[in-house]
Amino acid sequence: MSANYIHEQQTQYESGGAGASPYPVHVYKHRATEFRVVVCQVPGPLCHMAVCVPTVCADHKGKPHTLEH
């Protein structure tokens, strides 16, 4: 990660599979926006990515409210 991110936390994800090793998980926080990135280092050629971006809306109208759902 770049100098714009702080390494906030490191833990391990237990997959629960027989004989499976735990995967390292790292949490990084952007210094200016406090946006967090979670990286789980899994073995193998296949992986999955999910993106969740929390939004704050001042009222129940317009694009911010639509993004909230």
Side-chain angles (χ1 to χ4, degrees):
M1 299 302 281
S2 73
N4 293 324
Y5 287 86
I6 301 167
H7 187 246
E8 211 177 39
Q9 182 180 2
Q10 179 176 349
T11 187
Q12 295 203 2
Y13 171 73
E14 303 287 338
S15 66
S21 298
Y23 306 136
V25 177
H26 301 272
V27 180
Y28 298 92
K29 182 172 76 170
H30 191 266
R31 293 179 188 274
T33 64
E34 296 189 3
F35 186 81
R36 285 180 175 81
V37 177
V38 180
V39 179
C40 181
Q41 298 171 304
V42 297
L46 301 177
C47 65
H48 174 80
M49 181 177 129
V51 177
C52 298
V53 181
T55 60
V56 178
C57 62
D59 56 28
H60 296 290
K61 300 176 184 175
K63 290 179 185 176
H65 182 71
T66 304
L67 288 173
E68 191 178 35
H69 298 282

